[in-house]
Amino acid sequence: MSQIILIENNPNLLELLSLNLSTYVGAEVIPRDSATDALELLKILPSVDLIITKDKIGSEPSAKMILDFIKESNSDSGLIILGEAPSGAAKLAVTIADGNDYDAVVKASAKLLGVTPESLSKQVRPDFIPVPVEFFLPLKTTCCDVFIRIKKDAAEFQFVKRIHSGDTFSKKAINKYIEQGLKEFYIPQEMQENFTNFVSDQLVTLLGDDSLDLDERIEATSAGYNIAAHEILNLGFTSATIQLTEAIVGSMVKTFEGSKEMSPLLNKIINAKTGYLYRHCHMTSVVASEILNNLGQGDQLNHEKLAYAAFFQDISLVDSEELAKIGSYEELEKSELSEEDWDLVFNHGLEASVLLSKHPEAPEGVSGIVKGHHGAANGKGYSYKNVGKLEFLTQVFLIANEFVRGLLIYKEKGGKPAPLVDNMYKNYDSPEITKIIKALEATLKRKIAKNK
């Protein structure tokens, strides 16, 4: 069996590439999250058949380090570089510019390892596909058997059934798996579409239940958001994901309409045991709707548009949640991201708007709100200039987005709270934006006055 060292620091991409390489190329994949770690391994395992590495990981020149090793050791290991190749790589490495193009990676690996196209075409898809454990929290039963994956030996995994189709289980049981460190269950690959439809149907029914209390609604909305966002990004729009998106948007609007004051609702969401992306999504929807009401523009359609925008604003980053925390060009430049991740962050407004434009039932104008949600009208990067020329709802959403991000950063890092409103007044000098910031400030002042 061929051996491949795969140098990749994104756990989701690592899992995806490892699965495809082991399935379609029949190789043993040895993961490493940096070239430094890989070189330590190569000292004791010099005869690896193939090394696959990003061009850079953080500030580490990963591809150059591996290329230098191959030159200095006169190694005959194959090398695939994902991204931009360093100088002198042409004769020793295959370069694939798009590191997310795992099909190209598999084909190049197969060619280097002598796996023929004919044998590749005969390979089948993996028998099991991973599903995040959190997907099961709102469920009481499942439409298919559910497995956990156990490493049998260095080259093989074993799948052990833990839930039978039709079995009932409790949230407590699922939380126990999470506490034990389990990240993913596995389901038979032929059941993927059925499972997605089943979970969507269960959540749509749950979110439509008016008897849910606020905590239950936040938990169900969070579960729905995580499932829908991942499925839309990976599989596109289906009847199930469209229906679930509608239910999530409706649920976010409902939580706002059912709350007498904004602050207690934000406090509930920010302290919920959910991921950053969901909290950012729901809180931005709430704050944007509050601003609309203060400006006398809070009709139902506008609330729905802003909730849609909140849902889709970071959808291209759902597999890289940390990247969504970057909120300015200065932060992006200091982040030391790989070129691939840098581009992903820089273009995420545009990418999200393009994806949203394919949604058959999204309200008109939402795609434009998402595109400009960091102030750049073209959806690329961040801007404080010319935001007065953006559409009104985009301006409202931009301010809500920035305010919520500040709250989440303070929640995560603590320390002295930043003067969020004061900073926004300094950053934006257009009269249109000033009016919107004052509308937000009006709610904050009411809270201060009430607490005195």
Side-chain angles (χ1 to χ4, degrees):
M1 177 180 286
S2 300
Q3 288 184 318
I4 301 174
I5 292 180
L6 175 58
I7 304 171
E8 172 59 63
N9 64 332
N10 181 322
N12 295 299
L13 190 55
L14 178 67
E15 177 81 16
L16 182 64
L17 283 171
S18 297
L19 187 60
N20 278 273
L21 288 167
S22 59
T23 301
Y24 295 112
V25 184
E28 176 192 358
V29 180
I30 305 171
R32 288 293 182 271
D33 58 12
S34 70
T36 303
D37 288 346
L39 290 173
E40 288 297 314
L41 176 62
L42 286 166
K43 290 178 182 178
I44 58 173
L45 193 68
S47 59
V48 167
D49 301 282
L50 175 62
I51 304 170
I52 303 173
T53 180
K54 276 184 174 179
D55 53 359
K56 295 179 181 178
I57 294 179
S59 59
E60 178 192 83
S62 310
K64 185 178 184 305
M65 291 169 65
I66 298 300
L67 185 64
D68 289 345
F69 166 81
I70 289 176
K71 288 178 180 178
E72 292 165 7
S73 63
N74 200 26
S75 170
D76 60 357
S77 296
L79 175 61
I80 295 176
I81 295 171
L82 309 180
E84 186 176 345
S87 60
K91 294 182 179 180
L92 295 172
V94 174
T95 301
I96 298 174
D98 182 2
N100 289 317
D101 188 355
Y102 62 88
D103 186 51
V105 176
V106 169
K107 288 179 179 177
S109 301
K111 186 175 181 179
L112 284 168
L113 296 173
V115 180
T116 65
E118 289 76 18
S119 61
L120 265 180
S121 66
K122 294 176 182 177
Q123 294 282 356
V124 295
R125 294 173 61 193
D127 291 332
F128 299 92
I129 59 170
V131 178
V133 176
E134 289 78 11
F135 280 26
F136 290 81
L137 285 171
L139 303 180
K140 295 180 180 179
T141 185
T142 176
C143 64
C144 63
D145 293 336
V146 179
F147 300 75
I148 61 171
R149 190 179 71 170
I150 299 173
K151 196 169 184 64
K152 190 174 182 180
D153 54 42
E156 187 177 356
F157 288 104
Q158 179 180 2
F159 293 88
V160 180
K161 190 180 297 185
R162 279 292 177 260
I163 303 174
H164 290 77
S165 176
D167 280 357
T168 58
F169 51 85
S170 65
K171 186 183 300 180
K172 183 179 179 181
I174 302 302
N175 274 320
K176 190 172 182 180
Y177 281 109
I178 295 173
E179 290 166 5
Q180 292 171 347
L182 188 69
K183 301 294 184 184
E184 296 166 325
F185 283 122
Y186 286 79
I187 63 172
Q189 68 88 8
E190 69 271 13
M191 292 299 294
Q192 182 177 14
E193 184 175 349
N194 286 346
F195 179 78
T196 299
N197 292 341
F198 175 82
V199 176
S200 296
D201 288 343
Q202 297 295 309
L203 283 168
V204 168
T205 301
L206 183 61
L207 291 170
D209 184 354
D210 290 335
S211 68
L212 289 179
D213 65 29
L214 184 55
D215 290 327
E216 291 171 331
R217 180 163 297 282
I218 289 172
E219 184 179 273
T221 307
S222 170
Y225 171 85
N226 290 329
I227 293 169
H230 280 91
E231 292 299 307
I232 290 169
L233 182 63
N234 295 322
L235 301 175
F237 292 109
T238 65
S239 59
T241 56
I242 290 170
Q243 185 184 27
L244 183 54
T245 301
E246 293 281 323
I248 294 162
V249 168
S251 183
M252 290 194 295
V253 173
K254 187 177 291 186
T255 58
F256 174 74
E257 292 176 340
S259 300
K260 295 180 180 179
E261 296 181 17
M262 180 183 76
S263 294
L265 175 56
L266 291 183
N267 191 56
K268 282 276 189 183
I269 301 169
I270 202 170
N271 287 302
K273 294 181 179 179
T274 62
Y276 175 90
L277 284 176
Y278 164 71
R279 287 180 293 157
H280 190 210
C281 161
H282 199 162
M283 291 171 68
T284 300
S285 173
V286 170
V287 173
S289 285
E290 178 76 2
I291 293 172
L292 277 185
N293 280 355
N294 287 346
L295 291 170
Q297 300 289 328
D299 62 75
Q300 184 72 16
L301 180 57
N302 280 344
H303 288 312
E304 289 178 3
K305 285 182 177 182
L306 293 176
Y308 259 102
F311 181 97
F312 282 96
Q313 62 179 327
D314 293 323
I315 195 165
S316 63
L317 305 175
V318 295
D319 290 330
S320 309
E321 189 167 270
E322 287 298 312
L323 299 182
K325 297 177 183 180
I326 297 173
S328 69
Y329 187 77
E330 290 73 23
E331 291 176 22
L332 181 57
E333 284 292 271
K334 293 177 182 177
S335 63
E336 297 187 345
L337 296 176
S338 66
E339 183 178 350
E340 171 194 330
D341 284 344
W342 194 98
D343 287 341
L344 185 63
V345 175
F346 188 78
N347 294 305
H348 78 273
L350 176 60
E351 294 294 329
S353 70
V354 171
L355 178 62
L356 179 54
S357 68
K358 299 175 183 177
H359 191 301
E361 297 182 21
E364 184 178 352
V366 178
S367 181
I369 298 172
V370 171
K371 184 186 290 187
H373 78 276
H374 284 301
N378 63 358
K380 295 186 174 186
Y382 308 82
S383 177
Y384 295 118
K385 298 179 180 179
N386 299 319
V387 293
K389 296 180 180 179
L390 298 173
E391 295 290 334
F392 167 69
L393 289 181
T394 306
Q395 295 171 343
V396 170
F397 190 82
L398 181 155
I399 293 302
N401 176 295
E402 189 166 328
F403 178 74
V404 167
R405 181 177 166 277
L407 292 181
L408 288 168
I409 289 173
Y410 174 64
K411 171 68 176 178
E412 181 178 303
K413 297 183 177 179
K416 185 178 179 181
L420 300 176
V421 172
D422 290 345
N423 287 343
M424 284 191 284
Y425 278 129
K426 293 175 184 177
N427 290 334
Y428 302 101
D429 58 2
S430 77
E432 295 88 355
I433 297 295
T434 297
K435 184 178 179 181
I436 292 169
I437 297 172
K438 285 182 177 179
L440 170 60
E441 192 175 27
T443 293
L444 303 178
K445 286 181 176 178
R446 284 199 298 269
K447 178 191 174 186
I448 292 171
K450 183 179 178 180
N451 292 337
K452 285 183 177 179

